[in-house]
Amino acid sequence: MDDINLLKGRMSEALVEGIFKRAQYMVARVARETQVSALMRTGQSVPDFVVWKALDEPSLGHRSYLLLAIEVKYCANLDDYLRRDTPARSPEVALQWPELYEIVVTDRPEIGRSCFQAVHVSILPPGAPPSTLDLHLVPGLDIYRRTVEEYEGLVREVFPIIGSRNGGSASGDWARRLGGRAPARRPARGDARIRARIQHRVGDHGDRSSTPHEHRQGVSE
């Protein structure tokens, strides 16, 4: 079960990365990127991603940017996870990263809630229990509901079969692709379809041009 949760955690990171790229953010992986980590690991907590986007047009050679730190967690039981203290929600980490969001990915959301929910760690009152907002409802992020729903389809379709009899080899293959470890299993007939759908949505992390941008007109959907 630890291998399966690790795999779902890696996949959650890839899906969240895809959402932010679709919302026209630049995305830099931090926690497992050796060169960036070497510069930033000074005994402080390091998030999974740093994302940023321009807020205005250049003026006299200067632009303003929105810069966010993103920690991604997969959990099957969201209520249980939110009741537990996590390093990402500690006051010390909030001071280190003034705009830190913990994005929780779950394949078992409450009825009417999204599979992608966010906690704005930096504004949590000390000792207060965290509450989540669906990712597309978080003020200021400018992430559209339609974008989130597309990635939700992958969570709802793929996550439940990982670790099942018919989806076992998907866990082994995706563990290798996304950096996790899982025991090798016999191929399943649905693996090619799963891989194709996730690659289509997430794209190549190393090539931003391979990820389609959302057509953004008027108010958020």
Side-chain angles (χ1 to χ4, degrees):
M1 183 59 68
D2 288 342
D3 285 335
I4 298 303
N5 287 335
L6 176 62
L7 172 60
K8 289 184 178 181
R10 296 288 188 265
M11 294 176 68
S12 297
E13 292 174 11
L15 295 172
V16 170
E17 180 178 359
I19 289 174
F20 276 94
K21 285 182 175 180
R22 284 285 302 275
Q24 300 186 17
Y25 284 82
M26 298 293 290
V27 179
R29 285 181 174 261
V30 176
R32 286 187 299 278
E33 291 291 341
T34 304
Q35 294 181 344
V36 178
S37 296
L39 295 173
M40 302 183 70
R41 286 192 184 279
T42 58
Q44 296 181 332
S45 176
V46 179
D48 292 313
F49 305 107
V50 172
V51 305
W52 66 96
K53 69 187 301 186
L55 294 176
D56 53 23
E57 295 297 324
S59 176
L60 301 177
H62 299 283
R63 300 188 73 167
S64 298
Y65 288 86
L66 175 65
L67 176 66
L68 309 172
I70 305 295
E71 182 76 11
V72 181
K73 295 295 181 184
Y74 163 77
C75 67
N77 188 325
L78 181 58
D79 289 338
D80 179 67
Y81 177 75
L82 293 176
R83 283 194 294 266
R84 302 197 307 264
D85 292 331
T86 67
R89 284 185 246 127
S90 69
E92 294 77 15
V93 171
L95 289 175
Q96 295 171 20
W97 301 95
E99 285 298 325
L100 173 63
Y101 289 85
E102 185 178 31
I103 298 180
V104 183
V105 181
T106 180
D107 46 358
R108 303 175 185 175
E110 294 181 358
I111 296 175
R113 294 297 306 273
S114 173
C115 294
F116 297 89
Q117 301 182 30
V119 177
H120 193 175
V121 175
S122 304
I123 63 173
L124 277 179
S131 60
T132 64
L133 278 177
D134 291 348
L135 183 56
H136 64 279
L137 297 178
V138 177
L141 295 190
D142 197 24
I143 294 177
Y144 286 9
R145 180 184 62 177
R146 179 175 296 178
T147 297
V148 176
E149 287 176 345
E150 290 176 359
Y151 286 82
E152 272 190 318
L154 288 171
V155 174
R156 295 181 187 275
E157 179 179 349
V158 176
F159 279 38
I161 65 174
I162 294 177
S164 68
R165 179 176 301 176
N166 292 331
S169 72
S171 64
D173 187 63
W174 280 101
R176 290 188 292 274
R177 291 174 61 83
L178 298 177
R181 296 179 181 272
R185 295 180 174 89
R186 298 171 63 183
R189 290 175 295 178
D191 287 0
R193 180 171 56 86
I194 292 171
R195 289 195 295 270
R197 289 204 63 186
I198 295 181
Q199 280 188 300
H200 174 72
R201 294 301 181 198
V202 177
D204 182 356
H205 296 158
D207 181 4
R208 190 168 185 268
S209 64
S210 65
T211 304
H213 295 312
E214 185 168 7
H215 183 64
R216 311 169 73 80
Q217 291 184 349
V219 297
S220 176
E221 297 184 36

